[in-house]
């Protein structure tokens, strides 16, 4: 036990500040993370599509783009003009303007700055800060790499707004304000250790976080063992400690388990050992539901469809079982599926969806199916935006797969194998307290999580205080030994003054 105490003491001294940072930043991250341009903000900034200017079909846009393969295509707006935006299978972007057929693969700042218009207040004077070719603090995530170079622009407004324009697509891909950036510095950046110099080396950053979280697990587990042992062997009271040590002991008994589970689940977020298959369907499973994407089926410009839905912001060619449709997007509205003539599509037949599900999991048989009109323990969305109803299909394959199918779009939304369901509880459950009986009821969830985080902060603060005093004592002991050696080494008449 003495060895465990020594290990906990010195590992805790090294890690107590990290625990404190994680708990404090965790409260901030309950509400804000890194600055971004949300899907709702992006759609809100777009004008409604102008049917009169849509002269080019999807098939013609694919032909003009001359990509090796098309991963995605949608009709959107750029500089107030309708444009087909295509992404190749190797993340190569191409823009084909639907009014003239003009093809663009990159944009300089003078051209791209027209995308700033929806974000500008009257009299605003946007200023180009820099051209960002390498990750900076706000684009350090790999999600932005395919859009580089990025033009970082300050709007000089009261909110301190900065926008990032893509030199590849010509659109705004990131929006931040002084408040959002400030909150990120006390929230997501320290919590995720998202400092540019570290995070831009993705694999090294991942290993660093895994090792730090693993060390935190060891510290917390040692503290739990020692704390329970000291409480069990105390004769007159629950603790033999006094002062700050007593407070640390008590806080550890109450919040120590939670500290361990938070550190452990945080480590699992980076999937050490790739133990979980996650929730994303495989490419093969998605293609089973979509069928072959033959864009030659879209030979006519979709101007009549756009005219029938005057508030639509984007139109995306969409395949279900090999048949062509359009997926329409509007601001703050669920996406709408229509056929290529513009007629609304009702829910797909369950027998056809089940047949596709069997092809998606050929090594298993269906053992259960249910039409869900509410989220369950695995398929859920804290923003309440994921579609309902969905068809949940369970299989008896070796992985015990569960599929979640959008019945209105005939698409496979999520796939949970046994490892993914375990990970859902070990990570989302333990780290975010996403238990069905709790996350759906706010502010009850907020209050409970804040109280628990406050307990972790108190535990960490007592650890910081104890560690500070222990280091002081250790340094004082070292200084005393040095003085003692000097006293023995020099006669008093040769000893340095003072």
């Amino acid at each position: 036990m003495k060895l465990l105490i020594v290990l906990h003491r010195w590992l805790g001294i090294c890690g107590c500040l990290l625990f404190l940072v994680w708990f404090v930043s965790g409260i901030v991250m309950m509400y804000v993370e890194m600055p971004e341009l949300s899907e709702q903000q992006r759609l809100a900034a777009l004008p409604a599509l102008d049917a009169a200017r849509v002269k080019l079909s999807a098939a013609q846009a694919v032909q003009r783009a001359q990509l090796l393969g098309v991963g995605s295509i949608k009709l959107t707006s750029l500089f107030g003009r309708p444009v087909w935006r295509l992404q190749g299978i190797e993340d190569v972007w191409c823009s084909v303007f639907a009014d003239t057929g003009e093809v663009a693969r990159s944009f300089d700042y003078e051209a791209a700055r027209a995308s700033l218009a929806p974000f500008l207040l009257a009299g605003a004077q946007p200023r180009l800060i820099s051209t960002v070719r390498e990750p900076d603090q706000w684009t350090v995530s790999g999600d932005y790499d395919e859009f580089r170079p990025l033009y970082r622009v300050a709007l000089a407004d009261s909110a301190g707004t900065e926008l990032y324009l893509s030199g590849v697509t010509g659109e705004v891909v990131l929006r931040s304000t002084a408040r959002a950036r400030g909150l990120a510095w006390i929230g997501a950046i320290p919590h995720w250790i998202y400092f540019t110099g570290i995070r831009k080396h993705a694999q090294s950053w991942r290993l660093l976080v895994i090792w730090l979280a693993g060390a935190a697990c060891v510290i917390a587990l040692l503290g739990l063992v020692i704390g329970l042992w000291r409480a069990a062997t105390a004769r007159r009271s629950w603790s033999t400690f006094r002062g700050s040590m007593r407070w640390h002991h008590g806080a550890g008994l109450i919040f120590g388990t939670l500290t361990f589970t938070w550190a452990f689940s945080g480590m699992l977020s980076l999937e050490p050992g790739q133990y979980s298959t996650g929730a994303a369907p495989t490419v093969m499973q998605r293609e089973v539901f979509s069928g072959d994407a033959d864009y030659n089926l879209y030979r006519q410009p979709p101007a009549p469809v756009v005219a029938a839905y005057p508030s639509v912001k984007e139109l995306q060619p969409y395949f279900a079982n090999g048949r062509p449709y359009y997926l329409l997007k509007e601001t703050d509205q669920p996406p709408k599926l229509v056929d290529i003539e513009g007629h609304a599509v009702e829910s797909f037949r369950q027998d056809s969806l089940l047949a596709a599900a069997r092809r998606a999991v050929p090594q298993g048989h269906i053992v259960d199916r249910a039409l869900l009109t509410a989220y369950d323990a695995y398929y859920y969305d804290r923003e309440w935006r994921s579609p309902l109803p969905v068809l949940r299909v369970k299989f008896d394959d070796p992985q015990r797969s569960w599929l979640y199918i959008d019945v209105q779009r005939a698409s496979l939304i999520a796939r949970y194998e046994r490892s993914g369901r375990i990970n859902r509880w070990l990570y989302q459950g333990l780290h975010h307290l996403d238990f069905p009986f709790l996350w759906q009821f706010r502010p009850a969830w907020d209050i409970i999580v804040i109280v628990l985080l406050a307990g972790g902060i108190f535990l960490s603060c007592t650890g910081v205080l104890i560690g500070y005093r222990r280091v002081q004592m250790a340094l004082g002991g070292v200084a005393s030994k040095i003085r003692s050696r000097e006293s023995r080494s020099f006669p008093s008449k040769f000893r340095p003054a003072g």
Side-chain angles (χ1 to χ4, degrees):
M1 186 58 68
K2 186 174 295 185
L3 175 61
L4 297 184
I5 293 173
V6 171
L7 285 173
H8 178 67
R9 175 186 302 155
W10 291 106
L11 286 175
I13 287 172
C14 296
C16 57
L17 279 174
L18 184 61
F19 276 109
L20 181 59
V21 167
W22 275 341
F23 282 120
V24 172
S25 60
I27 293 179
V28 178
M29 287 193 64
M30 289 172 63
Y31 305 102
V32 292
E33 294 185 0
M34 290 289 284
E36 63 174 3
L37 182 70
S38 69
E39 179 70 359
Q40 290 70 39
Q41 291 173 328
R42 187 185 68 83
L43 287 174
L46 292 174
L49 289 170
D50 186 351
R53 302 179 69 179
V54 178
K55 308 294 186 183
L56 212 66
S57 70
Q60 292 170 317
V62 170
Q63 184 179 13
R64 287 174 180 263
Q66 296 183 346
L67 297 174
L68 293 177
V70 177
S72 67
I73 178 175
K74 64 181 178 181
L75 180 66
T76 183
S77 296
L78 185 64
F79 316 147
R81 299 167 59 188
V83 63
W84 288 104
R85 180 162 294 130
L86 301 91
Q87 184 180 26
I89 56 177
E90 296 181 349
D91 290 336
V92 177
W93 289 93
C94 180
S95 300
V96 182
F97 286 92
D99 51 358
T100 63
E102 173 191 356
V103 178
R105 303 184 189 278
S106 63
F107 299 88
D108 59 23
Y109 173 67
E110 292 304 317
R113 64 182 298 179
S115 292
L116 298 173
F119 299 90
L120 301 180
L121 298 175
Q125 297 293 327
R127 175 177 58 87
L128 177 64
I129 300 175
S130 62
T131 299
V132 182
R133 302 183 184 278
E134 298 293 330
D136 68 358
Q137 186 60 67
W138 312 113
T139 64
V140 72
S141 166
D143 295 339
Y144 296 99
D145 289 346
E146 63 194 85
F147 298 106
R148 300 184 195 279
L150 299 168
Y151 306 118
R152 183 183 176 189
V153 181
L155 301 192
D157 58 5
S158 59
T161 305
E162 292 183 1
L163 301 176
Y164 284 75
L165 289 165
S166 171
V168 176
T169 64
E171 63 183 336
V172 175
V173 296
L174 173 64
R175 176 182 181 271
S176 72
T177 62
R179 178 179 180 274
R181 294 190 295 272
L183 289 173
W185 279 111
I186 58 175
I189 294 173
H191 195 85
W192 292 337
I193 313 179
Y194 241 53
F195 304 99
T196 309
I198 299 174
R199 178 59 182 88
K200 69 180 181 180
H201 305 290
Q203 187 58 25
S204 298
W205 165 80
R206 178 176 175 271
L207 292 174
L208 173 65
V209 176
I210 288 174
W211 279 101
L212 287 176
C217 290
V218 172
I219 295 169
L221 195 57
L222 287 173
L224 274 171
V225 172
I226 295 167
L228 291 171
W229 173 73
R230 295 299 293 260
T233 56
R235 295 182 179 179
R236 298 183 180 181
S237 175
W238 60 270
S239 177
T240 57
F241 295 113
R242 293 185 178 183
S244 57
M245 284 291 293
R246 188 180 183 90
W247 286 110
H248 188 70
H249 187 195
L253 292 175
I254 299 172
F255 299 104
T257 300
L258 193 68
T259 300
F260 170 76
T261 58
W262 261 331
F264 177 70
S265 57
M267 180 176 65
L268 293 186
S269 69
L270 295 172
E271 296 190 0
Q274 302 296 317
Y275 72 98
S276 170
T277 55
T282 65
V283 173
M284 181 277 292
Q285 289 175 327
R286 289 188 186 276
E287 290 178 347
V288 163
F289 282 84
S290 67
D292 294 333
D294 183 4
Y295 292 104
N296 288 320
L297 297 174
Y298 297 92
R299 289 187 288 269
Q300 299 301 319
V305 179
V306 174
Y309 298 91
S311 60
V312 66
K313 298 293 187 74
E314 288 186 339
L315 176 147
Q316 178 183 344
Y318 184 93
F319 292 92
N321 198 26
R323 297 183 59 185
Y325 300 89
Y326 286 120
L327 192 66
L328 310 181
K329 293 184 179 181
E330 302 171 282
T331 306
D332 294 327
Q333 295 292 330
K336 188 178 305 179
L337 191 65
V338 301
D339 63 23
I340 57 174
E341 302 296 331
H343 303 118
V345 176
E346 302 296 333
S347 298
F348 287 80
R349 292 168 52 111
Q350 285 196 27
D351 56 355
S352 66
L353 298 178
L354 291 172
R358 292 187 185 96
R359 295 195 300 273
V361 188
Q363 66 274 37
H365 300 89
I366 295 175
V367 296
D368 182 64
R369 65 186 186 188
L371 185 66
L372 305 182
T373 57
Y375 298 138
D376 68 0
Y378 299 97
Y379 176 72
Y380 68 98
D381 181 359
R382 292 176 62 175
E383 300 294 326
W384 300 90
R385 294 185 182 277
S386 293
L388 288 170
V390 295
L391 182 63
R392 182 184 65 197
V393 186
K394 300 181 181 179
F395 289 84
D396 63 356
D397 61 310
Q399 293 75 34
R400 296 297 187 269
S401 301
W402 293 12
L403 303 185
Y404 291 85
I405 305 163
D406 183 348
V407 297
Q408 294 179 318
R409 300 173 208 162
S411 64
L412 182 57
I413 305 173
R415 175 272 320 240
Y416 281 96
E417 295 181 351
R418 183 192 292 112
S419 63
R421 293 194 295 275
I422 293 172
N423 181 66
R424 181 263 181 269
W425 296 112
L426 291 181
Y427 173 53
Q428 299 290 352
L430 294 180
H431 206 71
H432 298 151
L433 270 64
D434 274 0
F435 301 106
F437 63 86
L438 185 57
W439 75 263
Q440 300 182 54
F441 303 99
R442 303 186 72 169
W445 176 86
D446 302 69
I447 295 169
I448 290 172
V449 175
I450 288 174
V451 168
L452 295 176
L453 286 170
I457 291 172
F458 180 76
L459 173 63
S460 302
C461 285
T462 58
V464 170
L465 178 60
I466 293 166
Y468 172 73
R469 290 173 176 173
R470 175 66 64 173
V471 170
Q472 268 195 326
M473 289 173 56
L475 293 177
V478 170
S480 177
K481 288 181 181 180
I482 291 174
R483 287 194 296 269
S484 177
R485 288 175 183 175
E486 288 177 347
S487 297
R488 292 194 299 269
S489 301
F490 295 97
S492 58
K493 64 180 180 178
F494 296 120
R495 199 170 300 151

